Amino acid sequence: MPATPRISVVTASYNQGKFIGRTIESVLAQNYPNLEHIVVDGMSTDDTPAVLARYPHLRVLREPDRGQADAINKGFRLATGDVYCFLNSDDTFLPGALHRVAAELSPARGRHIVTGRCIYVDENDKPTGAEHPSGPMTHRRVLEVWKVHAVPQPSTFWTPDVWRRCGALDVSDQLVLDYDLMCRFSRHYALHFIDQVLATFRLHAASKSCSHASEEIYAQAIRASRRYWGSPLGPRYWLLRWSLSEHRFEKRWGRRSKAARLAGTAYAAWGQGKRLRGAARGAAAALLGPEVLVPRFLARLCSGARRSSAGQDRTTGQPGPLSPLTRAWWNFTGQHPDGPVGPKFVTTVDTGPTHRSLRVVGRSVLEGCPQPRSIAVSVDGRVVHRHRADGGPSFSLAVPLGPLRPGPHEVTIASDTCFVPHEYVGNEDYRPLAFRLIRLALSEERAEGARPSSASRAA
């Protein structure tokens, strides 16, 4: 394959005039020297034709089609590149994506398909704070779609040989057509993972992901997965069937959440001196959900242990082997709507000439789960305060700001510990959380150092 292989990008379009210009511009912004962009438009009735006319470099096919899959198949029949991909008319590439793909895709090294990371954005191009759940994938992990082991389509690229061997998109499938294709890809080829965000996935009211119920999408995806389980005489068939049955049992009966409630009552009874009752409830929790009981026990034993139940350090650097849903939230730096923040929270404060300190008040998210042992507060990238926790359920910090010019400044709060609620209470909340942020406010008082809150003193 040449150093700059020809990349064919196929975009299927129908009445996406609001977004398709941004899609085309993102491809042009790659500044990739050997590029072919094919747009197949199914006779749009909005301003799409006018938008396409502004880009003479495009190869445009305008004719009726049988839907998105049919349009994409038509595009690849015209493609002449060494590398294939399709980019929906509301998605975009991020800078440097195609150059990275050209460097990574190499049939000589066994890399026939490469897939990177992908972030969600809204209709105004604003990131939602979460990534598409993705990571290194085997064929079995792709098939376990009920575990959200999905391949991000906008960030996936392959050679023409892959397309010819695995077949075109199924024109009868308009809902999970890309997932069905990834099942076929992974059946024959290894997916080489690129740990870089290559594209955006737009979520808006008219997108398929938002206009269809998630239950409908997953039901159809599971039906697609079943087509690739293989013979009932093989072990993979039964491993997948067991995995799906376990998932459905958990969804219906809530085994983990019941085990978490039993564990909670066990600890409460033990703390009240009702040792027999506590032991009985603890034994029941251990039988029903040992993977819930053990981390809660360790968290209490270690009083805010830095490590998760899997033994991986999730507080510094890159996370270990996490659920794809947890990894999707790992780089979220905002405050969640229900109050908690993750291991790194970033915000902006607008200081005035009389502001001397910043008040930060927080408390634990869930009783009995790991809490930060150390919190570092930075202003414009400079650490101005470090807090060592005293083990109480809440804290209050008076952070000295020092001499700052009036105006906006970036504040970062970094915690050395976080936890995933699902591992402790089985509530399907896979976010990495550090603490619940109660208050963050500027103060004219000079900080004399951190002082414990009343709740901490009472504890």
Side-chain angles (χ1 to χ4, degrees), residues 356-358 379 382 384-385 398-402 404 445-450:
R356 298 289 182 268
S357 64
L358 182 70
V379 177
R382 179 175 61 90
V384 297
H385 186 80
V399 179
L401 293 176
L404 287 179
E445 297 179 5
R446 188 177 301 277
E448 301 296 335

PDB file of all heavy atoms in Angstrom, residues 356-358 379 382 384-385 398-402 404 445-450:
ATOM      1  N   ARG A 356     -10.987  36.568  46.892  1.00  0.00           N
ATOM      2  CA  ARG A 356      -9.745  36.078  47.494  1.00  0.00           C
ATOM      3  C   ARG A 356      -9.673  34.549  47.552  1.00  0.00           C
ATOM      4  O   ARG A 356      -8.581  33.999  47.659  1.00  0.00           O
ATOM      5  CB  ARG A 356      -9.608  36.631  48.928  1.00  0.00           C
ATOM      6  CG  ARG A 356      -9.515  38.140  49.003  1.00  0.00           C
ATOM      7  CD  ARG A 356      -8.173  38.632  48.472  1.00  0.00           C
ATOM      8  NE  ARG A 356      -8.048  40.073  48.574  1.00  0.00           N
ATOM      9  CZ  ARG A 356      -8.387  40.926  47.614  1.00  0.00           C
ATOM     10  NH1 ARG A 356      -8.878  40.440  46.458  1.00  0.00           N
ATOM     11  NH2 ARG A 356      -8.249  42.222  47.773  1.00  0.00           N
ATOM     12  N   SER A 357     -10.825  33.877  47.516  1.00  0.00           N
ATOM     13  CA  SER A 357     -10.814  32.423  47.677  1.00  0.00           C
ATOM     14  C   SER A 357     -11.973  31.788  46.919  1.00  0.00           C
ATOM     15  O   SER A 357     -12.881  32.485  46.451  1.00  0.00           O
ATOM     16  CB  SER A 357     -10.876  32.034  49.155  1.00  0.00           C
ATOM     17  OG  SER A 357     -12.101  32.464  49.732  1.00  0.00           O
ATOM     18  N   LEU A 358     -11.904  30.502  46.842  1.00  0.00           N
ATOM     19  CA  LEU A 358     -12.952  29.720  46.180  1.00  0.00           C
ATOM     20  C   LEU A 358     -13.439  28.673  47.166  1.00  0.00           C
ATOM     21  O   LEU A 358     -12.638  27.897  47.714  1.00  0.00           O
ATOM     22  CB  LEU A 358     -12.387  29.037  44.925  1.00  0.00           C
ATOM     23  CG  LEU A 358     -13.364  28.207  44.088  1.00  0.00           C
ATOM     24  CD1 LEU A 358     -14.357  29.119  43.378  1.00  0.00           C
ATOM     25  CD2 LEU A 358     -12.595  27.370  43.060  1.00  0.00           C
ATOM     26  N   VAL A 379      -5.802  26.388  39.270  1.00  0.00           N
ATOM     27  CA  VAL A 379      -6.347  27.569  38.591  1.00  0.00           C
ATOM     28  C   VAL A 379      -5.431  27.889  37.417  1.00  0.00           C
ATOM     29  O   VAL A 379      -4.225  28.088  37.603  1.00  0.00           O
ATOM     30  CB  VAL A 379      -6.455  28.772  39.540  1.00  0.00           C
ATOM     31  CG1 VAL A 379      -6.958  30.001  38.788  1.00  0.00           C
ATOM     32  CG2 VAL A 379      -7.381  28.453  40.710  1.00  0.00           C
ATOM     33  N   ARG A 382      -2.283  25.774  37.331  1.00  0.00           N
ATOM     34  CA  ARG A 382      -1.351  25.825  38.459  1.00  0.00           C
ATOM     35  C   ARG A 382      -2.063  25.332  39.717  1.00  0.00           C
ATOM     36  O   ARG A 382      -3.124  25.853  40.075  1.00  0.00           O
ATOM     37  CB  ARG A 382      -0.851  27.259  38.659  1.00  0.00           C
ATOM     38  CG  ARG A 382       0.112  27.431  39.838  1.00  0.00           C
ATOM     39  CD  ARG A 382       0.628  28.856  39.875  1.00  0.00           C
ATOM     40  NE  ARG A 382      -0.458  29.805  40.049  1.00  0.00           N
ATOM     41  CZ  ARG A 382      -0.900  30.224  41.237  1.00  0.00           C
ATOM     42  NH1 ARG A 382      -0.381  29.740  42.362  1.00  0.00           N
ATOM     43  NH2 ARG A 382      -1.891  31.104  41.312  1.00  0.00           N
ATOM     44  N   VAL A 384      -3.134  25.191  43.281  1.00  0.00           N
ATOM     45  CA  VAL A 384      -3.158  26.205  44.338  1.00  0.00           C
ATOM     46  C   VAL A 384      -3.550  25.617  45.686  1.00  0.00           C
ATOM     47  O   VAL A 384      -3.395  26.287  46.717  1.00  0.00           O
ATOM     48  CB  VAL A 384      -4.118  27.359  43.973  1.00  0.00           C
ATOM     49  CG1 VAL A 384      -3.630  28.085  42.721  1.00  0.00           C
ATOM     50  CG2 VAL A 384      -5.538  26.851  43.776  1.00  0.00           C
ATOM     51  N   HIS A 385      -4.086  24.380  45.681  1.00  0.00           N
ATOM     52  CA  HIS A 385      -4.506  23.799  46.962  1.00  0.00           C
ATOM     53  C   HIS A 385      -4.584  22.286  46.844  1.00  0.00           C
ATOM     54  O   HIS A 385      -5.036  21.760  45.819  1.00  0.00           O
ATOM     55  CB  HIS A 385      -5.880  24.346  47.372  1.00  0.00           C
ATOM     56  CG  HIS A 385      -6.327  23.905  48.738  1.00  0.00           C
ATOM     57  ND1 HIS A 385      -5.877  24.485  49.890  1.00  0.00           N
ATOM     58  CD2 HIS A 385      -7.191  22.929  49.125  1.00  0.00           C
ATOM     59  CE1 HIS A 385      -6.445  23.894  50.939  1.00  0.00           C
ATOM     60  NE2 HIS A 385      -7.243  22.940  50.494  1.00  0.00           N
ATOM     61  N   ALA A 398     -11.626  25.893  51.505  1.00  0.00           N
ATOM     62  CA  ALA A 398     -11.438  27.307  51.206  1.00  0.00           C
ATOM     63  C   ALA A 398     -10.136  27.399  50.432  1.00  0.00           C
ATOM     64  O   ALA A 398      -9.051  27.276  50.990  1.00  0.00           O
ATOM     65  CB  ALA A 398     -11.375  28.121  52.495  1.00  0.00           C
ATOM     66  N   VAL A 399     -10.244  27.570  49.138  1.00  0.00           N
ATOM     67  CA  VAL A 399      -9.080  27.510  48.256  1.00  0.00           C
ATOM     68  C   VAL A 399      -8.554  28.913  47.994  1.00  0.00           C
ATOM     69  O   VAL A 399      -9.278  29.760  47.442  1.00  0.00           O
ATOM     70  CB  VAL A 399      -9.454  26.838  46.919  1.00  0.00           C
ATOM     71  CG1 VAL A 399      -8.256  26.783  45.985  1.00  0.00           C
ATOM     72  CG2 VAL A 399     -10.010  25.443  47.166  1.00  0.00           C
ATOM     73  N   PRO A 400      -7.310  29.220  48.389  1.00  0.00           N
ATOM     74  CA  PRO A 400      -6.761  30.551  48.121  1.00  0.00           C
ATOM     75  C   PRO A 400      -6.510  30.740  46.633  1.00  0.00           C
ATOM     76  O   PRO A 400      -5.957  29.876  45.962  1.00  0.00           O
ATOM     77  CB  PRO A 400      -5.455  30.548  48.912  1.00  0.00           C
ATOM     78  CG  PRO A 400      -5.064  29.095  49.001  1.00  0.00           C
ATOM     79  CD  PRO A 400      -6.353  28.333  49.077  1.00  0.00           C
ATOM     80  N   LEU A 401      -6.923  31.869  46.094  1.00  0.00           N
ATOM     81  CA  LEU A 401      -6.756  32.138  44.678  1.00  0.00           C
ATOM     82  C   LEU A 401      -5.461  32.859  44.355  1.00  0.00           C
ATOM     83  O   LEU A 401      -4.954  32.774  43.233  1.00  0.00           O
ATOM     84  CB  LEU A 401      -7.934  32.974  44.161  1.00  0.00           C
ATOM     85  CG  LEU A 401      -9.294  32.263  44.148  1.00  0.00           C
ATOM     86  CD1 LEU A 401     -10.382  33.224  43.702  1.00  0.00           C
ATOM     87  CD2 LEU A 401      -9.253  31.050  43.233  1.00  0.00           C
ATOM     88  N   GLY A 402      -4.901  33.577  45.339  1.00  0.00           N
ATOM     89  CA  GLY A 402      -3.689  34.324  45.063  1.00  0.00           C
ATOM     90  C   GLY A 402      -3.982  35.513  44.169  1.00  0.00           C
ATOM     91  O   GLY A 402      -5.133  35.818  43.843  1.00  0.00           O
ATOM     92  N   LEU A 404      -4.848  37.279  41.069  1.00  0.00           N
ATOM     93  CA  LEU A 404      -5.419  36.956  39.763  1.00  0.00           C
ATOM     94  C   LEU A 404      -5.998  38.214  39.144  1.00  0.00           C
ATOM     95  O   LEU A 404      -6.601  39.024  39.835  1.00  0.00           O
ATOM     96  CB  LEU A 404      -6.540  35.920  39.900  1.00  0.00           C
ATOM     97  CG  LEU A 404      -6.170  34.467  40.218  1.00  0.00           C
ATOM     98  CD1 LEU A 404      -7.448  33.640  40.322  1.00  0.00           C
ATOM     99  CD2 LEU A 404      -5.266  33.877  39.148  1.00  0.00           C
ATOM    100  N   GLU A 445     -13.600  36.405  51.237  1.00  0.00           N
ATOM    101  CA  GLU A 445     -12.836  36.103  52.439  1.00  0.00           C
ATOM    102  C   GLU A 445     -11.494  35.484  52.057  1.00  0.00           C
ATOM    103  O   GLU A 445     -11.394  34.716  51.107  1.00  0.00           O
ATOM    104  CB  GLU A 445     -13.608  35.127  53.330  1.00  0.00           C
ATOM    105  CG  GLU A 445     -14.917  35.695  53.843  1.00  0.00           C
ATOM    106  CD  GLU A 445     -15.666  34.687  54.700  1.00  0.00           C
ATOM    107  OE1 GLU A 445     -15.084  33.600  54.946  1.00  0.00           O
ATOM    108  OE2 GLU A 445     -16.802  34.976  55.105  1.00  0.00           O
ATOM    109  N   ARG A 446     -10.465  35.798  52.814  1.00  0.00           N
ATOM    110  CA  ARG A 446      -9.157  35.213  52.593  1.00  0.00           C
ATOM    111  C   ARG A 446      -9.139  33.797  53.163  1.00  0.00           C
ATOM    112  O   ARG A 446      -9.577  33.580  54.291  1.00  0.00           O
ATOM    113  CB  ARG A 446      -8.075  36.064  53.244  1.00  0.00           C
ATOM    114  CG  ARG A 446      -6.654  35.606  52.892  1.00  0.00           C
ATOM    115  CD  ARG A 446      -5.637  36.541  53.505  1.00  0.00           C
ATOM    116  NE  ARG A 446      -5.816  37.908  53.051  1.00  0.00           N
ATOM    117  CZ  ARG A 446      -5.321  38.379  51.898  1.00  0.00           C
ATOM    118  NH1 ARG A 446      -4.638  37.565  51.094  1.00  0.00           N
ATOM    119  NH2 ARG A 446      -5.518  39.629  51.554  1.00  0.00           N
ATOM    120  N   ALA A 447      -8.659  32.849  52.381  1.00  0.00           N
ATOM    121  CA  ALA A 447      -8.647  31.456  52.824  1.00  0.00           C
ATOM    122  C   ALA A 447      -7.572  31.250  53.864  1.00  0.00           C
ATOM    123  O   ALA A 447      -6.420  31.618  53.672  1.00  0.00           O
ATOM    124  CB  ALA A 447      -8.401  30.531  51.634  1.00  0.00           C
ATOM    125  N   GLU A 448      -7.978  30.629  54.978  1.00  0.00           N
ATOM    126  CA  GLU A 448      -7.025  30.283  56.024  1.00  0.00           C
ATOM    127  C   GLU A 448      -6.656  28.813  55.956  1.00  0.00           C
ATOM    128  O   GLU A 448      -6.058  28.277  56.877  1.00  0.00           O
ATOM    129  CB  GLU A 448      -7.630  30.604  57.400  1.00  0.00           C
ATOM    130  CG  GLU A 448      -8.011  32.056  57.591  1.00  0.00           C
ATOM    131  CD  GLU A 448      -6.809  32.978  57.535  1.00  0.00           C
ATOM    132  OE1 GLU A 448      -5.687  32.501  57.830  1.00  0.00           O
ATOM    133  OE2 GLU A 448      -6.993  34.161  57.194  1.00  0.00           O
ATOM    134  N   GLY A 449      -7.025  28.136  54.853  1.00  0.00           N
ATOM    135  CA  GLY A 449      -6.807  26.700  54.732  1.00  0.00           C
ATOM    136  C   GLY A 449      -8.120  25.974  54.791  1.00  0.00           C
ATOM    137  O   GLY A 449      -9.170  26.557  55.061  1.00  0.00           O
ATOM    138  N   ALA A 450      -8.088  24.704  54.537  1.00  0.00           N
ATOM    139  CA  ALA A 450      -9.309  23.897  54.512  1.00  0.00           C
ATOM    140  C   ALA A 450      -9.817  23.678  55.912  1.00  0.00           C
ATOM    141  O   ALA A 450      -9.053  23.574  56.862  1.00  0.00           O
ATOM    142  CB  ALA A 450      -9.048  22.562  53.839  1.00  0.00           C
TER     143      ALA A 450
END
